């Protein structure tokens, strides 16, 4: 079975627009043409992709599973067109990095790759998605939190970063010279719940107890940092995320004496077959020294 890129493009447009009519308008197609393509895609896949309603359409579970693959197929096709049409330009280095560390790691990556004189296309994603994209060839290099990966992918740790508690300098807890986890429960907390120490920390807080409405687990470290900058929360997150804030004094690290030790490891991931590529070799040399 082969899938049409145009069918996937129509599917992506309808999914984003939430209706066949708006999806058709985005692609400058008629609504019947879009309906025909979606019907053909559903026949090819043997599943229903949309649930029709009075206010538009909703994705089925099958469509939710298809959408990230459709996006990656279309992105790869667009990259192929760009690469073929480029005359003498060297290929772009495609880098993806864990979303929480992208703001702090991107300058390091760009500085390291600059001597190669090649364009860099940087995106952010979660580590599992980055490994998938490496495996299917849609990116060249990933910066990840170590996760399970196939034998065709190499994952090389390059930094271990501690988790820290931070707050705005005007936050009441920022004036304390010593703190315990139980005293943190006086504040609202935004915590990135990764790693083996995370559950231990959350259990300590809940044992105090901390009211449920003041404890928020967030999916990205930058979200926790943003809440801390607003003075509304204490952020619990990797130090690398807030290193510029700590240096500038816009956030301060809280001296929590019994904070569980749960360092977070960052790693460079790449395809084993491309271990000697200039981009991989350059980044390995830069990050491991």
């Amino acid at each position: 079975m082969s899938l049409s890129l145009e069918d996937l493009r129509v599917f992506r447009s309808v999914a984003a627009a939430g209706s066949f009519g708006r999806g058709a308008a985005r692609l400058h197609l008629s609504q019947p043409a879009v309906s025909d393509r979606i019907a053909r895609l559903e026949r090819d896949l043997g599943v229903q992709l949309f649930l029709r309603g009075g206010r538009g359409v909703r994705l089925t579970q099958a469509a939710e599973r298809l959408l990230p693959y459709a996006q990656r197929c279309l992105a790869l096709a667009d990259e192929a067109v760009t690469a073929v049409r480029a005359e003498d330009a060297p290929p772009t280095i495609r880098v993806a990095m864990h979303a929480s560390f992208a703001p702090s790691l991107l300058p390091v990556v760009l500085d390291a790759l600059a001597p190669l004189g090649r364009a860099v296309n940087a995106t952010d994603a979660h580590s599992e998605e980055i490994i998938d994209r490496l495996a299917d060839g849609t990116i060249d290099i990933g910066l990840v939190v170590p996760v399970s990966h196939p034998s065709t992918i190499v994952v090389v740790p390059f930094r271990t970063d501690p988790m820290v508690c931070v707050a705005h300098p005007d936050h009441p807890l920022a004036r304390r010279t010593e703190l315990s986890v139980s005293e943190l429960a006086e504040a609202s907390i935004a915590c990135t719940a990764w790693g083996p120490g995370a559950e231990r920390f959350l259990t300590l807080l809940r044992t105090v107890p901390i009211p449920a409405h003041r404890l928020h687990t967030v999916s990205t470290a930058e979200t926790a940092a943003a809440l801390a900058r607003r003075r509304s929360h204490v952020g619990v997150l990797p130090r690398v995320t807030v290193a510029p804030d700590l240096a500038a004094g816009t956030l301060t690290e809280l001296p929590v004496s019994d904070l569980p030790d749960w360092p977070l490891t960052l790693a460079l991931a790449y395809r084993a077959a491309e271990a000697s590529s200039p981009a991989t070799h350059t980044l390995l040399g830069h990050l491991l020294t």
Side-chain angles (χ1 to χ4, degrees), residues 64-81:
E64 294 279 4
R65 292 192 294 271
L66 174 63
L67 184 57
Y69 291 100
Q71 291 169 331
R72 283 155 59 186
C73 287
L74 293 168
L76 189 59
D78 290 342
E79 286 181 21
V81 171

Side-chain angles (χ1 to χ4, degrees), residues 62-145:
E64 294 279 4
R65 292 192 294 271
L66 174 63
L67 184 57
Y69 291 100
Q71 291 169 331
R72 283 155 59 186
C73 287
L74 293 168
L76 189 59
D78 290 342
E79 286 181 21
V81 171
T82 300
V84 168
R85 290 177 177 172
E87 295 182 357
D88 297 322
T92 296
I93 302 170
R94 302 163 301 172
V95 181
M97 54 195 71
H98 193 286
S100 287
F101 310 120
S104 54
L105 288 179
L106 181 56
V108 176
V109 170
L110 294 179
D111 287 347
L113 296 177
L116 298 181
R118 291 166 59 182
V120 176
N121 178 16
T123 57
D124 60 77
H126 290 292
S127 294
E128 292 84 355
E129 182 184 351
I130 292 172
I131 295 296
D132 288 343
R133 291 173 65 186
L134 278 169
D136 64 25
T138 56
I139 60 171
D140 304 304
I141 293 170
L143 291 102
V144 300
V145 174

Side-chain angles (χ1 to χ4, degrees), residues 244-266:
D245 291 279
L246 295 175
T250 52
L251 290 175
T252 186
E253 184 174 346
L254 302 181
V256 184
S257 58
D258 56 345
L259 182 69
D261 181 26
W262 85 92
L264 196 67
T265 299
L266 306 181

Side-chain angles (χ1 to χ4, degrees), residues 3-57:
L3 298 180
S4 160
L5 284 175
E6 284 309 308
D7 288 351
L8 292 178
R9 202 177 304 279
V10 168
F11 164 70
R12 181 181 65 179
S13 182
V14 173
S19 84
F20 279 44
R22 289 191 296 272
R26 290 183 177 195
L27 296 174
H28 305 290
L29 297 173
S30 68
Q31 184 168 332
V34 164
S35 297
D36 287 346
R37 283 196 174 273
I38 293 299
R40 179 168 58 195
L41 186 58
E42 289 178 328
R43 287 196 303 272
D44 288 344
L45 293 171
V47 296
Q48 183 179 1
L49 295 174
F50 293 102
L51 300 172
R52 282 73 168 174
R55 296 187 176 182
V57 296

